[in-house]
Structure formats: C-alpha cells, structure tokens
C-alpha cells in the first residue's frame, strides 16, 4: 500500500496533560512526519464530567491500511 495521509482526532480527559504527550509519542512512532493543530481545552459536551478535555487534530503519513491503523489506535486507547 502506498503512503496515505490520515487526519486523526486526539482527545483525552483522563490525565490529559500526560496522556496527550503519550499519544503524540505513539503517533511519532507510527509516522515521523506529523503535523499538529493547536491544543484546545474544552469541557465535556453531552455528558457531565468535572474533568477537562485536551483536543487536537494530527495529520500523519503511513503505509498502514485504515484497518491496521485503527487497530493500533484501539490498542493505544486501551493502554492509556
């Protein structure tokens, strides 16, 4: 499969300052070419939570298929 550009949404409200760093480190292992939006702090929408969210969008390039990339993201989500 040829290199494909993926745009991914990143967000965390569980230890968000630490976990966003961990997520970005994992994304860099997948693709050293990583472009990021600014990080936005938000409150929960649609449910009650006292914890803030940190959110951003990343663009990465990868040879992985969408299914393979999703599997890596799911494993990362489970670890964190």
């Amino acid at each position: 499969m040829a290199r494909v550009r993926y745009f991914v949404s990143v967000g965390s409200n569980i230890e968000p300052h630490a976990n966003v760093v961990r997520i970005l480190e994992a994304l860099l292992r997948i693709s050293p070419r990583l472009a990021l939006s600014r990080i936005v702090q938000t409150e929960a929408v649609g449910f009650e939570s006292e914890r803030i969210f940190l959110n951003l969008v990343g663009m990465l390039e990868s040879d992985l298929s969408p299914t393979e990339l999703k599997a890596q993201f799911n494993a990362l989500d489970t670890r964190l």
Side-chain angles (χ1 to χ4, degrees), residues 1 26 44 63 70 72:
M1 179 174 191
D63 294 330
K70 176 70 171 160
Q72 287 201 16

Side-chain angles (χ1 to χ4, degrees), residues 41-80:
Q41 182 175 306
T42 62
E43 296 181 3
V45 175
F47 64 95
E48 295 293 321
S49 177
E50 293 182 12
R51 297 184 293 204
I52 59 103
F53 279 83
L54 293 181
N55 300 285
L56 65 128
V57 174
M59 188 282 297
L60 60 94
E61 294 181 354
S62 177
D63 294 330
L64 297 173
S65 72
T67 303
E68 293 167 325
L69 190 59
K70 176 70 171 160
Q72 287 201 16
F73 289 167
N74 288 344
L76 176 61
D77 190 45
T78 299
R79 280 195 315 273
L80 297 179

Side-chain angles (χ1 to χ4, degrees), residues 1-39:
M1 179 174 191
R3 279 189 106 50
V4 176
R5 282 189 179 166
Y6 293 99
F7 291 85
V8 296
S9 173
V10 174
S12 179
N13 75 331
I14 299 171
E15 298 181 30
H17 291 93
N19 277 332
V20 166
V21 171
R22 291 179 185 117
I23 293 165
L24 296 178
E25 289 170 342
L27 290 177
L28 284 168
R29 285 191 293 277
I30 293 169
S31 173
R33 291 192 62 183
L34 182 62
L36 303 173
S37 71
R38 65 187 178 96
I39 297 173

